[in-house]
Amino acid sequence: ETGVTQSPTHLIKTRGQQVTLRCSSQSGHNTVSWYQQALGQGPQFIFQYYREEENGRGNFPPRFSGLQFPNYSSELNVNALELDDSALYLCASNPTGGDTGELFFGEGSRLTVL
Amino acid sequence: AQTVTQSQPEMSVQEAETVTLSCTYDTSESDYYLFWYKQPPSRQMILVIRQEAYKQQNATENRFSVNFQKAAKSFSLKISDSQLGDAAMYFCAYRRNSGGSNYKLTFGKGTLLTVNP
């Protein structure tokens, strides 16, 4: 049990729609990052938030955006959905200070775009 | 850019036997972390073992150990006395040590481990 929860677990959208995925981290985990894991692939880094500011981004277009809130929750928003956005989206958090390098992952939200 | 390569898409092992999963990586950094994560069908990534690049001693965690060859940029995972619960997708991952401000992980494509009874 990592203490990171994500919702929803599964959802289906159609092309062009917008989606919001949610993540709740452990208390004290000030850094949250999001990953996209396509079927049969390793996770790809989307972006990272620290104290409600984006402070790192992978090779994803601006239609992927995020928010982080003071209560250790965060959101991933994807606009204008495309078929290739179908994937498992993983949220990961870690505490600030005492860096052990480890990330704590949620179970993911599986998005299907039709 | 850092890359992580896992050359074995699938591996199988008999229960109680030993199996080694391979991983190579490419980086120009000297200070970094390497990880093996396990992803069972429940989808949650679970940390198996961690290695800090500046430590020459190979990390061990119970039945799990690594062979870290920094010059060769190789980081293999050995699972001893394999158990049915070890069956999962295993990912090798790299993270630059940037003093606690950037936690981006770069993952390999994974190795699917099957444990046969």
Side-chain angles (χ1 to χ4, degrees):
Chain A
E1 184 60 49
T2 64
V4 180
T5 58
Q6 293 187 241
S7 63
T9 55
H10 296 83
L11 70 166
I12 299 173
K13 293 285 189 178
T14 57
R15 274 186 306 174
Q17 286 189 311
Q18 179 267 344
V19 68
T20 297
L21 308 178
R22 294 179 172 82
C23 173
S24 177
S25 306
Q26 293 185 40
S27 176
H29 283 208
N30 292 316
T31 303
V32 66
S33 49
W34 287 87
Y35 289 79
Q36 180 195 65
Q37 186 178 12
L39 196 62
Q41 301 294 315
Q44 298 289 316
F45 175 75
I46 302 175
F47 47 55
Q48 173 182 290
Y49 277 77
Y50 172 67
R51 291 187 175 177
E52 303 164 46
E53 296 285 334
E54 182 182 304
N55 72 339
R57 191 174 186 93
N59 189 26
F60 281 82
R63 59 190 186 83
F64 285 78
S65 63
L67 287 171
Q68 186 186 25
F69 303 101
N71 65 350
Y72 305 108
S73 66
S74 61
E75 292 180 353
L76 164 65
N77 299 289
V78 187
N79 294 322
L81 284 167
E82 301 177 359
L83 297 180
D84 285 348
D85 295 334
S86 295
L88 179 67
Y89 289 86
L90 297 168
C91 167
S93 71
N94 59 282
T96 304
D99 183 19
T100 64
E102 180 180 0
L103 292 185
F104 297 82
F105 284 86
E107 292 187 1
S109 296
R110 184 165 301 282
L111 171 65
T112 301
V113 182
L114 301 176
Chain B
Q2 294 83 18
T3 59
V4 177
T5 302
Q6 294 179 249
S7 59
Q8 306 154 316
E10 298 184 28
M11 292 283 285
S12 64
V13 63
Q14 291 296 126
E15 197 174 2
E17 297 293 308
T18 295
V19 64
T20 298
L21 308 185
S22 301
C23 172
T24 58
Y25 60 95
D26 187 26
T27 183
S28 58
E29 303 285 340
S30 60
D31 192 7
Y32 50 86
Y33 294 98
L34 294 166
F35 306 88
W36 280 97
Y37 276 89
K38 169 185 177 181
Q39 187 178 41
S42 67
R43 311 182 317 200
Q44 188 163 46
M45 287 279 192
I46 301 166
L47 179 65
V48 174
I49 199 164
R50 169 183 57 240
Q51 176 77 43
E52 295 166 75
Y54 66 87
K55 290 186 176 179
Q56 293 187 343
Q57 187 173 6
N58 289 325
T60 62
E61 287 287 342
N62 301 313
R63 300 182 294 107
F64 299 88
S65 61
V66 299
N67 183 3
F68 173 48
Q69 301 289 329
K70 190 172 184 179
K73 295 180 181 175
S74 170
F75 183 61
S76 61
L77 173 69
K78 185 172 80 171
I79 306 174
S80 304
D81 185 26
S82 297
Q83 301 175 359
L84 295 177
D86 295 334
M89 183 71 90
Y90 286 80
F91 291 97
C92 178
Y94 164 98
R95 199 204 107 190
R96 180 168 64 96
N97 187 0
S98 55
S101 63
N102 185 342
Y103 298 97
K104 172 190 172 184
L105 287 176
T106 300
F107 286 88
K109 291 189 174 183
T111 297
L112 180 62
L113 178 65
T114 302
V115 181
N116 301 310

